[in-house]
Amino acid sequence: MPPGRLYRVQGVVLKSAQMGEGDLLVTLLTRDGSKLRAMAWGARKLTSRKMGHLEPLTLVDLALSKTRGIDGITQAQSLETFAVLKSSLEATAKAFYLSELVDGFALEGGPNPPMYDLFLGALRAVQDSADDSAVVLRFQLNLLQVNGFMPELYRCVDCRRRILPGDHRFSVSLGGALCSGCAPPGAAIAPLSLNAMKALRHFHRNPAPDAPRLRIPPALYEEIKSLLDGAVRYWLDRDIRSAKFMEHVDGRKAKTLHPNPSTQGV
Amino acid sequence: MNQNIPAPAPVVRLIQELNRLPGIGPKSAQRLAYYIIRLPAQEAQELADAVLGVKDRIIFCSICQNLTEIDPCDICSGPRRDRSLVCVVEEPLDVLAMERAGFYRGLYHILHGVISPMNGVGPENLRIRELLPRLQDGSVKEVIIGVNPTLEGDATAMYVHRLVSPLGIKVSNLARGLPVGGQLEYADEVTLSRAYQGRREF
Ligand SMILES: [Zn+2]
Ligand SMILES: [Zn+2]
């Protein structure tokens, strides 16, 4: 597209960064599943009509102007603000985490429509049931799936034989489940319980974020989470910074929120 | 700068240091550096003294965490301040803005930022914890959260609210309304809905 040409795009704002005196650098996941960075000049001035539409976690319709450098946002109109999600600390913390993962996997100029559907669906699921811990796990597994990093759950990654119930372990670097007979040298192999295996297969077969709720006891949650965290960290090759805050405000661990329990009031 | 002829090392170092300041890009850093190079020695000395002076003499107030030369700061030790109110703000500049407006007589608590999980800034990186000891003796009746109405500001506000409300102290939010001089028709939905939520009886 030649410079100066206007075009429109819809997407979810993943993050925005203040630039210079009053400008905002916005990163979006567009509807085709690619990442787009664009500049809203003067957006932080109080009189600007754009700022409120460009908050992270907003589904927005943008008019952009092509430039030689980074494209400029000329108009912004929010289509869905996720106001209910943003009124819950747990849900907001989860949404930050989902956004950081998407920001990590999405590519500029690299369309991936299923990733957009997955992300939007997960945000809506977090909004509708902030206490459903399975939403994040389901999202992690299916984010790996739509980006081509789906862990193998049905056959041993080493001997290729069908994985039998109760006879399985897991290796992120080898790409999934292993039978107990296989132990390729040098690979880190973690235990994988039967219930964790069942849950992972359930998430894989029911990728829609509004799939039937699955009750996951805390210990099982921790097992699956650490396994999926390991896979995500392996493929992104970095830590997910917002994970710590998500865990910190997790309702089930709310006790740790008061840094000094002895100063707690009645 | 010409790529083939590097600037002398001290100039490069000055540009690099200026470039690290917020809002200063490489071009601005170069302009500032060459401005400083042209300054009379006396003025350059004064600039350097001012920079070192803030590092030597400015400390955090042990009560409100604001920047100060004496601890506690003028506001915390002010005889006429209303000690039942604490307004929680992001930055020292927000205190200046509130004081300039002149309507508020309570105390402050400065967080020095907002929770920004994607940038690795959690509650433990802010001065949130320091708020709790201030609320123990029962003198504070209301905590007013005055952080900026952004997603990260709102998350910070919810976090502070969750921390303070078990203490039985009233927590309020500054109403997020329309900017004075702004026009209703130009306001985005988020601002409008917040202005509506923050409405008060005449
Ligand atoms: Zn095998
Ligand atoms: Zn003070």
Side-chain angles (χ1 to χ4, degrees):
Chain A
M1 237 186 292
R5 271 284 288 280
L6 293 174
Y7 66 103
R8 283 180 67 172
V9 106
Q10 281 183 15
V12 179
V13 179
L14 297 173
K15 60 181 182 183
S16 55
Q18 305 189 356
M19 305 297 280
E21 282 292 303
D23 309 323
L24 204 63
L25 176 61
V26 181
T27 306
L28 304 120
L29 185 73
T30 64
R31 215 159 58 164
D32 73 357
S34 65
K35 185 150 81 176
L36 177 72
R37 298 192 319 138
M39 191 72 94
W41 306 103
R44 280 163 53 222
K45 306 227 162 71
L46 270 182
T47 48
S48 168
R49 297 156 62 176
K50 292 180 213 146
M51 181 71 180
H53 300 288
L54 295 173
E55 279 287 300
L57 307 177
T58 306
L59 174 58
V60 70
D61 184 275
L62 298 180
L64 295 114
S65 164
K66 199 85 198 153
T67 73
R68 268 179 238 288
I70 191 154
D71 294 353
I73 296 171
T74 58
Q75 279 176 53
Q77 176 67 50
S78 45
L79 305 174
E80 189 170 343
T81 60
F82 295 99
V84 174
L85 183 156
K86 291 170 185 171
S87 67
S88 152
L89 187 57
E90 284 86 358
T92 304
K94 281 181 186 162
F96 275 129
Y97 178 75
L98 303 186
S99 300
E100 189 177 349
L101 289 189
V102 167
D103 184 45
F105 279 105
L107 300 169
E108 288 186 58
N112 186 352
M115 179 153 64
Y116 178 79
D117 296 335
L118 183 71
F119 181 47
L120 200 59
L123 288 180
R124 287 176 181 149
V126 168
Q127 171 159 273
D128 294 341
S129 47
D131 61 329
D132 185 359
S133 52
V135 170
V136 171
L137 302 178
R138 189 190 306 273
F139 177 80
Q140 282 179 299
L141 184 74
N142 289 298
L143 186 65
L144 292 169
Q145 148 86 27
V146 299
N147 284 287
F149 303 123
M150 178 67 197
E152 171 62 59
L153 298 175
Y154 301 93
R155 288 182 177 277
C156 171
V157 291
D158 197 41
C159 69
R160 303 307 301 164
R161 276 198 281 268
R162 184 170 294 280
I163 294 282
L164 300 172
D167 179 34
H168 35 69
R169 294 170 300 152
F170 195 87
S171 168
V172 166
S173 59
L174 294 176
L178 283 160
C179 69
S180 56
C182 290
I189 301 174
L192 174 63
S193 73
L194 181 59
N195 283 337
M197 180 57 126
K198 281 182 181 168
L200 288 172
R201 287 180 175 181
H202 172 86
F203 294 145
H204 178 231
R205 295 201 190 103
N206 302 278
D210 56 355
R213 261 176 101 130
L214 195 64
R215 264 197 56 75
I216 300 184
L220 181 59
Y221 175 86
E222 294 303 331
E223 181 188 355
I224 302 171
K225 187 76 173 65
S226 99
L227 199 144
L228 290 174
D229 282 353
V232 164
R233 206 180 306 120
Y234 179 81
W235 292 112
L236 285 183
D237 200 18
R238 64 179 175 82
D239 283 326
I240 308 302
R241 298 201 269 195
S242 47
K244 195 173 164 194
F245 185 62
M246 179 173 71
E247 274 149 36
H248 180 63
V249 301
D250 188 327
R252 291 165 307 152
K253 299 174 193 161
K255 291 183 293 300
T256 62
L257 210 151
H258 267 267
N260 180 0
S262 65
T263 63
Q264 235 174 319
V266 275
Chain B
M1 219 182 309
N2 191 315
Q3 292 294 329
N4 302 319
I5 310 163
V11 178
V12 172
R13 179 164 168 230
L14 179 58
I15 291 171
Q16 280 169 353
E17 291 301 321
L18 291 167
N19 191 193
R20 286 161 58 169
L21 300 173
I24 305 287
K27 288 252 167 56
S28 302
Q30 279 181 33
R31 271 200 306 276
L32 286 171
Y34 284 101
Y35 171 81
I36 292 169
I37 291 165
R38 288 192 302 269
L39 282 181
Q42 171 71 20
E43 282 179 45
Q45 185 66 48
E46 282 165 14
L47 177 63
D49 287 348
V51 171
L52 291 175
V54 292
K55 291 316 287 178
D56 285 349
R57 308 230 312 269
I58 296 294
I59 51 173
F60 291 103
C61 171
S62 60
I63 300 173
C64 72
Q65 312 301 320
N66 202 356
L67 303 174
T68 178
E69 271 188 280
I70 42 160
D71 184 24
C73 72
D74 286 343
I75 293 176
C76 287
S77 56
R80 296 205 177 144
R81 306 299 300 206
D82 180 348
R83 294 178 182 279
S84 70
L85 299 175
V86 173
C87 182
V88 177
V89 297
E90 290 179 23
E91 302 289 348
L93 282 173
D94 300 327
V95 173
L96 291 183
M98 291 277 285
E99 289 296 295
R100 235 184 351 251
F103 60 88
Y104 180 69
R105 303 306 304 157
L107 304 175
Y108 295 94
H109 189 87
I110 295 89
L111 300 175
H112 295 278
V114 280
I115 296 170
S116 179
M118 289 173 78
N119 294 311
V121 181
E124 69 281 7
N125 305 111
L126 306 173
R127 288 172 186 251
I128 291 184
R129 199 180 307 121
E130 288 79 355
L131 177 61
L132 290 177
R134 305 183 60 183
L135 308 177
Q136 295 305 313
D137 67 2
S139 57
V140 176
K141 303 295 180 213
E142 182 174 355
V143 170
I144 303 149
I145 301 177
V147 298
N148 290 322
T150 60
L151 178 63
E152 292 174 345
D154 287 347
T156 308
M158 286 189 280
Y159 187 84
V160 171
H161 176 255
R162 180 178 286 193
L163 213 53
V164 172
S165 55
L167 305 176
I169 294 169
K170 180 181 174 190
V171 183
S172 62
N173 239 323
L174 285 188
R176 281 75 187 282
L178 301 164
V180 174
Q183 283 180 286
L184 204 65
E185 61 171 301
Y186 291 150
D188 60 83
E189 293 83 346
V190 181
T191 303
L192 258 183
S193 86
R194 277 175 172 164
Y196 177 77
Q197 285 158 17
R199 72 193 186 281
R200 292 199 323 185
E201 205 177 311
F202 269 105

